[in-house]
Structure formats: C-alpha cells, structure tokens
Amino acid sequence: MSISRAIAEQMERASWIRRMFEIGIQLRKERGAENVFDFTLGNPDVEPPEAVIEALRRVVAENRLHSHGYMPNGGFPEVRAKIAGRLAERTGVPFSGEDVIMTCGAAGAINTVLKSILDPGDEVIVLNPYFPEYRFYIENHGGRVITVETDERFEPDIGRIADAITPRTKALILNSPNNPTGAVYGVDVLRELDGIVREPMIVISDEPYRPLTFDGLVPPETLRIMRRAVIAWSWSKAMAISGERIGYLAIPPELAEAAALRNACTFANRILGYINAPAIWQWVVAEVPDATVDVRQYQEKRDLLCDALTAMGYDAPRPQGSYYVFPKTPIPDDVAFIGLLQQEGILAVPGAGFGRGGYMRLSLTIPRRDLEKSLQGFARAFAECLCGVAA
C-alpha cells in the first residue's frame, strides 16, 4: 500500500515549525535541555487563568445530565446562545444561537467553511507571509491557494488583492493579529477590503490572537466593518488551552447566504470527523468567555527581545499583537541564518516557512530566563554574518 500523492507532496512541504521541533529534540539530547532555546512553537508557557480552572471544576462537579454524550453537531444550544449574546454585544450584529457553531478550535472552524464553499479549482486568497497550515487546509478541500504579498508593514495591499480576485475566488483568509508578523489591521484597512469583496467571495477572519495585543491596542471588530465576513475563533491562545481544541464559527445572520452556509458548515463539522466540539469545554468557555492570560508577560518579553535584537543591529520591529516577533535575518538566506542560530542552541523558524524569505519567526512563549540566556547567541550569530560580509 502507498500513501496518496497529495499527502506525500504536502508532507514534503510540511511546516518548518514542526521540522524545527524535531531538530530541537535532537539538540537537547546532544547539549542538554538547559542549553537549547526554543523559539519555534506557539505553545503557551503559562497556565490558564484561575477563572478558567475554577469554571472547569464547577462544570465537572455539576455533572449535567448527558454532559458526556452527543449533542447537536453545532454544539449545545445553551452554549451557542451565550456565545451569540456576547458576540452581539461586541459586534453590534444581531446574532442568535443558531448563527454560532462550536468547533474544534479556529482550525476546525476554517476547515468547515472551506469544505462547505469550495468546489475543485476554486481559489482562496492568503496574505503573505501566512500561517502555513492554511495551504494544507485549502488544498485538502480541492481549492487553489492564491498568495498576495502584503506591504512593507505586513498590512494588506488592497490593490494587489483586488487584482488577484477572479470569478473563481471564493474566500480571503484574514488573520489579525497576525501569525507570524504580529500586525494588527486597522479600521481603514478593513474598510478598504470591504469595498472590494463581492459575492460569492467571503472573508474568513481567523482571530485566535485577538485578545493578545500590546500597548493598549484594541483591534477593530471585523463584523462592524465587513459585510461579507465570518469569524473563526479559538480560546487556545487567550486562555492558554491549546490542547483542548475549543472555538467557534460565527456566521452573521445578515449575510445573504447565512442559512445555507450554517447548514452546510454544521454538516461539514460532522463529515470531517469532528462530530462536535469537546463537550465539557463548551460549558467552560460559556461560563468565562472573556478570561484571558496576563498579556503583560508577553509584552515584557516582546520589549526585552526587540530592544536587545535592535541594539545588536537586527531589524526587529515590535509586533502589535499575537506572541511572535518577525525580524529580518542579517543575511538574505534565512534558512542559512537559522543554521547559524542552531549552532548557538537557538531554534527559530525561517520566514521561508511562512512564504517570506529573509525573515525569522521567534515565539514569545519561551520562558523569560531562556530568552535572556539566548541573547549572547543571537549576538554571536549576527557578528558571524558581519565577518562573512567583511571577508
């Protein structure tokens, strides 16, 4: 038996993030864990807020009747109604429970939408640099990935996006705060985007990092500005519960095809094998939907890392949100520079893994003590590049 050609090709292009994770395992064996500084995975290094743990205890102790069994594929009606009420307050959109589908994280939400709207050969626009799993999601459902470059600040280039739209364009995936760049798209950008999105195209707004912004910045509500958008949400980052796989898909009732899309996505949720979102965690997030980790710890590490890298000579702008920094590498070959960092015990992800060579992604989920210990290695790698240029 052989695996499919499609999967074989996707495995060949598989995420640099996971590749670096495997390299990290080997380095730890060779050098000891205390000498390896892993900036690769966006896996929260903090525990969930106490309010989340308290809610989990209450839900488990209450042990509602049939709380461990099947429910409607879209999730518990009471949970959906609570989430819809909170969404209505935030966005001004008159959501009801039937407009919300509880999903296995934002990834589950995105996949249910793509499965529901794509015919073979339909196109989905992603903004470069982008989260690499988007490509696999799109291709898994028969779609074609259309990459569009962002501007020098990593913000959407409206003209380029408009030029990329064709009669086969079904969706644009929008990710703000962005992984990997940390960019947050403002009101003007969303308003301009709204002006070029036309039926049957929809915007899938992927928002797992929305609560994680810095310097008091509050991202605009996508649905207050964009008429043809759906929200893919996850509590993985905000609550530091990435292993629990809980999120939702919100389909505004004002969308012309809302009823058909709701039905299709509920069906897709089942046939993709999710069946339904984790039962216990539906009740937990309904109790404390706005609980968020202390963002100050990420902002402090952002400031420490960006200031230190900038002082060394790196081009390392401060991200506005998420928990990633996306500095330029000192040499154009980002993969080669990642190799230099590995010699220093530093694991980073090359920008090429996100579609933008000449950069690297550094995750702020690394413990502060490891971040501090890594700085000398960053300085030595940068100096080695300078010596190479001088030679």
Side-chain angles (χ1 to χ4, degrees):
M1 183 186 72
S2 60
I3 64 172
S4 78
R5 288 191 298 272
I7 290 296
E9 290 171 2
Q10 288 180 340
M11 289 172 64
E12 186 66 26
R13 302 197 306 265
S15 171
W16 266 99
I17 303 170
R18 290 291 171 182
R19 200 177 310 176
M20 297 304 298
F21 179 73
E22 296 299 327
I23 291 172
I25 293 174
Q26 185 60 37
L27 280 180
R28 289 182 185 89
K29 289 180 181 177
E30 295 172 358
R31 304 183 183 191
E34 71 278 5
N35 298 310
V36 177
F37 314 110
D38 191 347
F39 288 85
T40 59
L41 281 181
N43 194 20
D45 65 321
V46 298
E47 292 305 306
E50 185 57 32
V52 175
I53 301 303
E54 289 287 343
L56 176 60
R57 291 191 185 105
R58 289 195 301 271
V59 167
V60 172
E62 183 177 350
N63 195 26
R64 292 174 173 87
L65 190 64
H66 305 308
S67 61
H68 302 284
Y70 287 126
M71 80 287 295
N73 295 127
F76 289 115
E78 301 98 313
V79 171
R80 297 164 70 187
K82 285 188 177 181
I83 300 302
R86 182 67 189 96
L87 270 171
E89 293 173 6
R90 272 180 37 200
T91 65
V93 175
F95 280 103
S96 67
E98 67 178 5
D99 303 313
V100 174
I101 300 171
M102 303 304 294
T103 61
C104 294
I110 294 168
N111 274 280
T112 59
V113 174
L114 294 174
K115 180 67 174 176
S116 299
I117 67 174
L118 292 181
D119 287 315
D122 282 343
E123 298 168 352
V124 179
I125 295 173
V126 297
L127 304 181
N128 200 24
Y130 60 94
F131 179 52
E133 303 297 291
Y134 290 159
R135 174 174 292 277
F136 303 133
Y137 300 165
I138 294 163
E139 292 178 347
N140 283 348
H141 303 299
R144 292 184 59 230
V145 179
I146 306 298
T147 58
V148 176
E149 294 295 328
T150 51
D151 66 18
E152 66 280 357
R153 295 176 299 172
F154 302 118
E155 293 196 352
D157 185 313
I158 307 303
R160 285 176 174 167
I161 296 171
D163 290 343
I165 295 173
T166 75
R168 296 300 302 269
T169 303
K170 283 292 187 70
L172 161 69
I173 299 180
L174 201 65
N175 178 214
S176 173
N178 183 262
N179 173 12
T181 68
V184 175
Y185 307 148
V187 171
D188 291 343
V189 169
L190 297 184
R191 191 169 289 132
E192 288 185 73
L193 270 175
D194 184 57
I196 63 172
V197 175
R198 294 289 181 270
E199 193 175 347
M201 181 180 174
I202 63 169
V203 171
I204 304 171
S205 187
D206 182 21
E207 301 187 358
Y209 297 98
R210 179 181 173 80
L212 304 181
T213 55
F214 307 131
D215 305 313
L217 179 66
V218 178
E221 288 287 353
T222 305
L223 296 183
R224 285 190 180 273
I225 301 166
M226 305 199 75
R227 293 162 293 177
R228 294 192 54 77
V230 299
I231 300 295
W233 182 273
S234 171
W235 281 279
S236 292
K237 318 303 182 185
M239 291 185 180
I241 54 170
S242 49
E244 304 300 348
R245 311 314 307 145
I246 184 68
Y248 63 76
L249 171 67
I251 301 171
E254 297 161 339
L255 196 66
E257 62 271 40
L261 186 57
R262 284 197 306 265
N263 291 338
C265 288
T266 303
F267 178 68
N269 208 36
R270 182 170 87 243
I271 66 169
L272 286 172
Y274 304 128
I275 312 300
N276 50 254
I280 293 297
W281 281 94
Q282 289 189 46
W283 294 116
V284 173
V285 297
E287 284 204 17
V288 286
D290 299 320
T292 304
V293 297
D294 186 352
V295 180
R296 290 176 298 179
Q297 61 191 315
Y298 292 129
Q299 181 168 324
E300 289 169 1
K301 286 190 282 188
R302 177 205 67 168
D303 294 344
L304 172 61
L305 181 59
C306 290
D307 288 349
L309 292 180
T310 301
M312 295 171 197
Y314 288 88
D315 182 353
R318 297 187 183 198
Q320 297 171 292
S322 78
Y323 43 49
Y324 305 107
V325 174
F326 199 61
K328 281 187 177 180
T329 50
I331 54 176
D333 189 340
D334 53 311
V335 175
F337 184 71
I338 294 301
L340 292 178
L341 289 178
Q342 284 177 32
Q343 295 174 26
E344 300 292 340
I346 297 170
L347 300 172
V349 186
F354 302 91
R356 180 70 67 89
Y359 290 81
M360 59 182 170
R361 194 192 76 169
L362 306 173
S363 176
L364 296 172
T365 58
I366 186 171
R368 185 184 176 105
R369 65 182 179 278
D370 287 349
L371 191 162
E372 291 171 340
K373 288 173 64 177
S374 74
L375 295 178
Q376 289 186 349
F378 279 108
R380 285 192 293 266
F382 189 89
E384 187 169 342
C385 290
L386 290 183
C387 291
V389 171

